[in-house]
Amino acid sequence: MPDTRTASCNCGAIRIEARGQPVRVGLCHCITCRKGNGAPFTASAIWRGEDVTIQGDTRSWKDTTVSRHFCPSCGSSLFGVSDGTGEIAIGLGAFDVVPTGLAPTYELWVVRREKWFEVVTRTEQFPGNRTAVG
């Protein structure tokens, strides 16, 4: 796996660099992620905040615990910053090199997962948010 990964929005105004390997990779089926991305789930890789550099001015909105950032020019949904931990969840669709080689190890809000969706890799499944850190 690469030591540094880059991500960007559709128009290129926002550039993201993530160094090292992510802390974890997961899927989320919650209502907020669904509506925020216009898709039935979100796939994200989570890095420690100090391992991520962001260039360009994003806009954001905040739900209860996460500030969700997007490009004000093209509207691309890019990443979220978690309160308390400072972790940054970068959407797998934002990465410049695909396939990314990143596979989810867990799923959140599986009670809201579409019945037709089946994950190919084995994941730890949570009915709501994760209860344990790591």
Side-chain angles (χ1 to χ4, degrees):
M1 290 189 139
D3 208 30
T4 300
R5 294 173 188 271
T6 60
S8 59
C9 62
N10 271 318
C11 71
I14 311 298
R15 305 284 310 154
I16 304 166
E17 181 181 274
R19 295 170 299 284
Q21 296 307 310
V23 174
R24 62 188 175 280
V25 179
L27 305 177
C28 184
H29 305 275
C30 79
I31 295 294
T32 305
C33 284
R34 293 171 69 106
K35 289 183 178 282
N37 291 296
F41 63 91
T42 297
S44 299
I46 294 84
W47 267 269
R48 297 177 318 146
E50 59 266 24
D51 295 333
V52 176
T53 303
I54 299 156
Q55 296 176 335
D57 293 322
T58 63
R59 296 294 180 271
S60 67
W61 64 279
K62 185 175 180 180
D63 63 13
T64 54
T65 61
V66 178
S67 295
R68 297 163 188 272
H69 293 256
F70 60 94
C71 175
S73 296
C74 66
S76 296
S77 178
L78 298 165
F79 63 92
V81 180
S82 296
D83 285 355
T85 66
E87 291 179 328
I88 298 177
I90 303 170
L92 295 188
F95 287 101
D96 297 325
V97 176
V98 295
T100 64
L102 299 170
T105 58
Y106 69 96
E107 289 181 80
L108 304 178
W109 291 97
V110 294
V111 298
R112 294 195 173 126
R113 181 174 57 201
E114 293 291 334
K115 302 301 180 218
W116 51 260
F117 183 71
E118 184 178 334
V119 179
V120 178
T121 61
R122 197 171 272 202
T123 61
E124 183 176 7
Q125 298 182 356
F126 298 90
N129 286 324
R130 285 177 347 112
T131 54
V133 177

